[in-house]
Amino acid sequence: MPTVRRANRCYQLFRRFFSKPSGVGSPLNVYMFTPSHLLHLLKTLATQPAYFYHRLVVVYHQLRKPKAPWLTSDAISILERLLTPDFIGFEWGSGKSTLWLAGRLKTLVSVEHDPEWYEIVRSDLTARNYTNLDLRLSSGDSYAAQIQSFPDDAFDFILIDGETRSRCIAAAASKIKAGGYIFIDNADTGYDVTPLAGFTYRPTDNGIWRTDIYIRPLEPATRP
């Protein structure tokens, strides 16, 4: 059985190497070595040296912590200190974060919109025999609404890193516990965070993108 799991893992890595990348945190893939991509890197080095430097720093952190989520390094460090085995978590957008979080939380609900990526994540989770994870496939109007089946104040931690993030932010606001944390990746894109007015705001930035953190106050009276 271990041999079968190793063979399946190698097959998945092979597939990912030849799959078209998506997102800033895409793993090593064949598209990174195309002439057009390499030329783009050279142009970036010549015209945007600061951006090129920050990109190299991001790559360094990803190589140093290959199993960590594709968030800013500061956000990952905060999560490493913050998460405890009694935390209940929810995330929109499955992937490396799902495996990483499942190993640190009491329970985790993870919602993915892409069927192919869902199957890849599900296969990885099955191989590692996680039993504390509720992995869901959903898209369209039901995607952000997946959290509505849970009562208010249900979660200690919520990660928003998938589709329709403004709608997910609105849906998450009432589901986080007092003192709980909402992490929003790629926050520099300009999502609607007005539902989190009154939350404590802490941005993190790696020079390429932001992962913003919102903390619900402990006093219920301050909640919008």
Side-chain angles (χ1 to χ4, degrees), residues 83-201:
L83 300 180
T84 63
D86 62 338
F87 266 32
I88 299 173
F90 189 102
E91 71 164 350
W92 281 283
S94 304
K96 292 178 69 174
S97 60
T98 309
L99 299 169
W100 194 82
L101 291 170
R104 287 167 167 79
L105 300 174
K106 180 179 180 180
T107 60
L108 174 67
V109 180
S110 181
V111 184
E112 175 57 38
H113 78 282
D114 183 87
E116 182 176 355
W117 187 245
Y118 168 85
E119 289 299 331
I120 291 174
V121 175
R122 188 176 66 84
S123 176
D124 286 345
L125 292 169
T126 300
R128 288 164 175 76
N129 198 31
Y130 282 110
T131 59
N132 62 335
L133 178 68
D134 178 1
L135 181 63
R136 303 182 177 191
L137 176 63
S138 178
S139 60
D141 293 339
S142 66
Y143 182 78
Q146 288 294 314
I147 203 171
Q148 299 299 346
S149 61
F150 297 91
D152 288 352
D153 312 318
F155 297 100
D156 301 283
F157 164 77
I158 296 174
L159 173 60
I160 301 174
D161 190 21
E163 297 289 289
T164 61
R165 297 190 195 188
S166 291
R167 294 174 64 182
C168 292
I169 291 167
S174 64
K175 303 302 179 180
I176 196 74
K177 294 179 181 178
Y181 299 80
I182 297 177
F183 281 58
I184 305 172
D185 199 28
N186 306 115
D188 45 300
T189 304
Y191 303 111
D192 180 9
V193 295
T194 54
L196 304 182
F199 283 55
T200 300
Y201 170 59

